[in-house]
Amino acid sequence: MSNEMQFLLWIQDHMRSDPLNHIFIFITNFFGQAGIFWIAAAVLLLLFKRTRPAGAACAIALVLQGVLINLVIKPIVARPRPYDACSLLIPLVARLRDYSFPSGHTGCAFSAALVMARMLPKKIGIPAIIIACLLAFSRMYVGVHYPTDVLAGALIGCGCAVIGMQITRKIVEKKASAA
């Protein structure tokens, strides 16, 4: 049994409790469900001139990570979910039909949260990063991802955030020089 599976079983056997189960199921569903929370945040940021560059960077990062994780990497790696690899691991949410590596929920959260942390005031950026970290942990807690799935999702999300911010900066600079 791999160290990662041992870690997930340790979480299941030593951390899970009814109150925490409710909290982490809520976090994984509310902040992770199809990226709706993060997409809505990007749209909200796009509505206001002052936050429009951050919204654009979020939108670009979200699209990039979604394509990269869900359409490119997951089908190539084709890693089974941890509960499919070990019958001792009991997922707390519905069994998923796609592959495990990397975590799309985590990639989505980190792609938007890093943009918010870099381009918006700390009162928005810090909570966004905290939520992304909680979401990442929740994916292991509920038993649907290995630690390396979550780590890879976070790294890909951060990379896409950097690219999104660079693209947005170039667009803003080009508009400013044209004016």
Side-chain angles (χ1 to χ4, degrees), residues 8-176:
L8 295 177
L9 290 171
W10 184 87
I11 289 172
Q12 176 177 277
D13 296 341
H14 295 93
M15 288 187 71
R16 284 186 182 175
S17 65
D18 283 338
L20 284 179
N21 290 355
H22 291 295
I23 290 167
F24 283 111
I25 290 170
F26 171 80
I27 289 169
T28 213
N29 287 332
F30 185 81
F31 295 109
Q33 195 63 34
I36 293 170
F37 174 84
W38 303 102
I39 294 166
V43 169
L44 184 64
L45 293 171
L46 285 167
L47 294 176
F48 303 98
K49 187 175 182 179
R50 193 177 65 156
T51 59
R52 198 164 289 143
C58 278
I60 293 166
L62 286 166
V63 169
L64 285 174
Q65 70 78 34
V67 168
L68 191 58
I69 289 175
N70 296 309
L71 301 180
V72 178
I73 300 172
K74 277 191 182 207
I76 291 171
V77 176
R79 184 183 201 183
R81 295 282 175 172
Y83 50 76
D84 290 330
C86 178
S87 62
L88 297 174
L89 185 64
I90 301 161
L92 296 179
V93 295
R95 291 175 179 263
L96 303 169
R97 293 187 179 127
D98 66 343
Y99 295 113
S100 185
F101 183 88
S103 170
H105 286 74
T106 304
C108 184
F110 274 88
S111 66
L114 182 61
V115 168
M116 292 177 190
R118 298 288 309 270
M119 296 183 74
L120 297 172
K122 287 182 181 180
K123 66 182 178 184
I124 296 170
I126 290 173
I129 292 292
I130 291 169
I131 291 168
C133 290
L134 288 170
L135 176 63
F137 180 75
S138 79
R139 303 306 288 163
M140 294 180 291
Y141 185 92
V142 301
V144 297
H145 279 294
Y146 293 97
T148 50
D149 299 343
V150 170
L151 178 61
L155 292 173
I156 292 166
C158 288
C160 291
V162 169
I163 292 167
M165 289 185 286
Q166 288 174 343
I167 291 170
T168 303
R169 183 174 29 93
K170 287 182 183 188
I171 291 169
V172 169
E173 288 171 359
K174 188 173 182 178
K175 276 186 166 183

